[in-house]
Amino acid sequence: MKPSPAVDTARTVVLIIFAAAVLLPFASVILSALHPAGSAVGGLALPPQLAFENFATAWEKGRFSQLMGSSLLVALCVVPLTIAFSTLAGFALAVLRPRGSRWISVAFILGLTLPTELVVVALYYNLSAMGLVNTHVGVILAEIALFLPFGVYWMQTHFASLPRELVESARIDGARDLIVLLKILLPISGPALTTIAVLFFMWSWNQFLLIIVLIQDPSRRTAPAGLGYFVGEHSTDVPLLAAASILVTIPIVIVYLVFQRSFVSGITQGAIKG
């Protein structure tokens, strides 16, 4: 049934209010970054002149070329490895269903309830015993372990929602497990894989506490962790801080814009199936 004009107008007003609540903080940060360095900034006040040089200054003073390199290295290792492990585990639990798969699924779901703050101390001592503290390898392994429960749950749910007839038809044609996964299920799993890839990239890029605890060497920290120390060094220069914050956010925005259509499609499919 088509909604009445009053209901349609009310929905539009609510959506505009929500959109404004989300966009106004970003607009405030962008306007702050364009004020002259060291000047006072007030909310959504327009800058007297556009100071684009703040971005270059923040990039140089914060050594963001080095920090961005560390963030990209960690994210480019974490995302594909976590997706590969999640896909294999989700396929096994949803399609192959070995003995005890129900309890293994429960264990992965319980892993979703563990916050990073609760396990970071144990992770530090475990990685320290293996000599992996203050290394990117230690951070990559820790992030894979933290993201894996969600990835397995997501892929298991996705594979379980696909028609069982696809797998049975492939079995009749003589396809083995790996062929079923690679040639039957994965080609139709693009939106689901893209969605967790974007989520894993955002989670890995935004990791802060884990990096602060596991890496003490400033040259090996990632961009968000470096931004934390940059804030401490330039706490009175709001335009410079705003410019540095935007620099750290840009890669996430680019990834989201590039994969926006597949990301939304994957989220929507999950909502419909759920």
Side-chain angles (χ1 to χ4, degrees):
M1 184 176 66
K2 187 177 180 181
S4 64
V7 173
D8 195 35
T9 303
R11 289 177 178 175
T12 304
V13 171
V14 170
L15 289 175
I16 291 175
I17 292 173
F18 282 139
V22 172
L23 294 177
L24 282 178
F26 288 102
S28 176
V29 173
I30 293 173
L31 291 174
S32 299
L34 294 176
H35 278 72
S39 63
V41 176
L44 294 173
L46 295 175
Q49 58 186 24
L50 300 180
F52 290 104
E53 64 273 13
N54 287 340
F55 296 97
T57 304
W59 182 275
E60 183 180 357
K61 288 188 174 180
R63 302 187 301 276
F64 280 106
S65 56
Q66 191 176 47
L67 300 175
M68 292 281 190
S70 293
S71 287
L72 281 176
L73 173 65
V74 172
L76 292 179
C77 291
V78 168
V79 173
L81 288 174
T82 312
I83 290 178
F85 295 149
S86 301
T87 301
L88 292 173
F91 174 73
L93 294 173
V95 179
L96 303 182
R97 298 175 183 172
R99 181 177 297 179
S101 59
R102 181 181 179 84
W103 294 108
I104 296 174
S105 299
V106 172
F108 277 115
I109 292 174
L110 288 176
L112 290 171
T113 65
L114 293 177
T116 304
E117 293 80 3
L118 185 65
V119 300
V120 67
V121 176
L123 274 174
Y124 174 82
Y125 285 110
N126 288 336
L127 293 174
S128 179
M130 293 186 288
L132 294 177
V133 168
N134 220 24
T135 66
H136 290 134
V137 175
V139 172
I140 291 168
L141 293 176
E143 289 190 5
I144 290 175
L146 290 173
F147 301 162
L148 202 54
F150 177 82
V152 173
Y153 174 75
W154 179 269
M155 292 309 299
Q156 181 185 358
T157 305
H158 169 70
F159 287 136
S161 68
L162 297 177
R164 189 73 183 174
E165 290 77 11
L166 289 174
V167 178
E168 293 173 352
S169 300
R171 299 282 193 205
I172 293 173
D173 292 337
R176 297 192 174 186
D177 296 336
L178 194 57
I179 298 298
V180 171
L181 174 63
L182 296 179
K183 294 191 175 181
I184 305 298
L185 299 184
L186 282 188
I188 58 176
S189 302
L193 293 172
T194 303
T195 298
I196 59 169
V198 173
L199 290 175
F200 287 159
F201 183 85
M202 288 193 296
W203 295 347
S204 176
W205 190 272
N206 289 330
Q207 278 295 325
F208 181 77
L209 177 63
L210 193 67
I211 307 300
I212 292 294
V213 173
L214 296 183
I215 295 184
Q216 287 79 45
D217 185 353
S219 64
R220 297 184 179 181
R221 290 195 181 111
T222 58
L227 178 62
Y229 284 90
F230 186 82
V231 170
E233 295 174 358
H234 304 276
S235 57
T236 58
D237 197 338
V238 177
L240 207 58
L241 295 180
S245 301
I246 293 174
L247 289 174
V248 173
T249 310
I250 286 176
I252 295 178
V253 175
I254 293 174
V255 168
Y256 178 76
L257 292 178
V258 170
F259 297 103
Q260 179 190 14
R261 181 169 297 179
S262 296
F263 179 77
V264 174
S265 175
I267 291 288
T268 306
Q269 287 181 12
I272 293 174
K273 290 167 184 174

